[in-house]
Amino acid sequence: MTQAGAYGQRLGQFLRLKDAPPALVARSLRSAELAVTETRNDQPVPGLSGSLAAEDAFLVSLKLHDYPDCEVWERGKSIMKTDIRAGTTYLYDLKRDPRYVIDKPFHSLFFYIPRSALDGIAEQSSAPRIGELDCQVGVGHDDGIIRHLGASLQEGLRRPDEANQLFIDHMMLGLTAHVAQAYGGLQRTSAPARGGLAPWQAKRACERLESDLGGKLSLQKVAAELDLSVSHFSRAFRISIGLPPHQWLLHQRVKAAKQLMSVRDLPLTEIAMSAGFANQSHFTRVFSSIVGASPAVWRREALGGSSGEA
């Protein structure tokens, strides 16, 4: 299947990277692909970047490394030079063929947002369609929300096996909504629904999520089964259950692990896999953060004896 958007391998080719950079993809708005890609090259070969296919989409980039005297191009012409600072956010309109001269080490996160995703956000917010985003050449933004979301997604990029699809969908949906409001002028024309899910909806949603402890199920699929938009479902689920779907799923994994540790003398590695964790270290990290003790310590105390596992 051919990749459609400017992320992952295509973005790596644009930046002339030898290997495809890590990317996480969400499909949560009108089946649009939203993605985040981490790009880095500490020893680039100097030259102009490649060119991305023109499309009605945007790249939002969080710079993780200073890049002084950056020569920026648009529509085949050199436009200006500007100093780029780590922690700053820049927006690029892919209809304008944005490029730049690569002549220094770089490290960035790129969030790929197609027009259809912005249209979906506006529709779900009962707001007018967004026009153009604020993509001024060379203008950076001090955006704390992008930095926070970027840091969370960077953890997922470094350990993709541990990033469940609900988490990726949740983060990318939040980022797209923020971009629409901060740089697209999105304004809600009606207040968001304040109520939670109906009891039958909450029960069904929990059953569907619990049926896939591995976290491959998307927010879009669960929301569609309840005939709700993704943003409405996420908000209503949190109101009814007390946690966002991806965090609730982690608690269910811990619950399943506790049951396995209480009744069967299984190795922790097997318990981790059975409860939907990527590996034992992922299991230990999540379990410890939720329970306040490592799995081995919890099992030792729960069984009232000693377990040989550390």
Side-chain angles (χ1 to χ4, degrees):
M1 183 176 175
T2 304
Q3 178 190 306
Y7 60 86
Q9 184 174 4
R10 275 191 61 193
L11 196 59
Q13 291 169 345
F14 166 72
L15 295 172
R16 295 189 282 107
L17 297 174
K18 290 182 180 178
D19 301 312
L24 299 173
V25 182
R27 294 174 180 84
S28 54
L29 294 163
R30 292 187 171 187
S31 295
E33 289 187 334
L34 300 164
V36 56
T37 306
E38 183 171 9
T39 62
R40 180 172 186 167
N41 192 343
D42 294 330
Q43 295 180 313
V45 176
L48 185 62
S49 71
S51 185
L52 292 164
E55 61 171 313
D56 199 358
F58 303 89
L59 284 176
V60 177
S61 181
L62 173 62
K63 306 303 181 183
L64 303 175
H65 193 294
D66 286 347
Y67 200 92
D69 204 27
C70 176
E71 183 178 337
V72 185
W73 287 50
E74 272 198 352
R75 297 188 173 101
K77 295 180 180 179
S78 176
I79 303 295
M80 66 184 300
K81 287 190 176 183
T82 184
D83 289 336
I84 288 175
R85 298 296 177 204
T88 307
T89 294
Y90 289 81
L91 282 76
Y92 306 99
D93 186 338
L94 293 183
K95 296 190 299 298
R96 302 181 195 167
D97 188 24
R99 305 172 75 182
Y100 76 98
V101 174
I102 301 171
D103 55 4
K104 289 172 283 289
F106 62 84
H107 187 192
S108 303
L109 290 181
F110 283 93
F111 305 96
Y112 170 73
I113 303 177
R115 161 66 62 187
S116 55
L118 294 173
D119 289 346
I121 287 283
E123 185 180 301
Q124 291 176 14
S125 302
S126 300
R129 188 173 183 267
I130 296 165
E132 294 303 317
L133 297 184
D134 182 15
C135 299
Q136 297 179 60
V137 180
V139 175
H141 304 272
D142 181 15
D143 192 323
I145 292 176
I146 296 286
R147 282 197 295 272
H148 171 72
L149 292 170
S152 296
L153 285 163
Q154 214 175 350
E155 288 298 307
L157 285 160
R158 287 171 181 167
R159 293 192 288 260
D161 292 344
E162 300 178 15
N164 71 65
Q165 193 61 47
L166 296 172
F167 165 77
I168 300 167
D169 291 352
H170 178 80
M171 288 295 177
M172 290 304 297
L173 176 66
L175 183 133
T176 304
H178 169 69
V179 167
Q181 291 170 8
Y183 306 107
L186 175 71
Q187 294 184 342
R188 297 180 186 275
T189 56
S190 61
R194 298 185 184 281
L197 299 170
W200 72 268
Q201 289 177 318
K203 182 174 183 290
R204 185 168 171 186
C206 289
E207 287 173 349
R208 287 293 285 123
L209 294 173
E210 200 169 9
S211 72
D212 178 35
L213 287 178
K216 303 300 182 189
L217 202 60
S218 69
L219 275 181
Q220 181 191 33
K221 188 159 187 176
V222 182
E225 289 184 14
L226 302 178
D227 198 26
L228 298 173
S229 70
V230 175
S231 57
H232 183 143
F233 169 68
S234 296
R235 189 167 52 242
F237 186 95
R238 185 168 193 162
I239 291 169
S240 294
I241 307 300
L243 292 169
H246 69 280
Q247 289 185 7
W248 183 84
L249 184 68
L250 291 179
H251 281 74
Q252 297 313 112
R253 288 179 180 173
V254 167
K255 179 180 174 183
K258 283 182 173 180
Q259 292 173 341
L260 289 168
M261 285 191 289
S262 297
V263 300
R264 296 177 65 183
D265 187 22
L266 286 172
L268 291 182
T269 51
E270 286 188 33
I271 291 171
M273 300 303 287
S274 297
F277 293 98
N279 48 54
Q280 187 177 337
S281 64
H282 182 213
F283 171 39
T284 299
R285 192 162 52 252
V286 173
F287 190 97
S288 300
S289 68
I290 290 175
V291 177
S294 72
V297 169
W298 183 90
R299 176 155 68 176
R300 206 156 44 231
E301 293 176 352
L303 298 181
S306 64
S307 170
E309 294 177 90

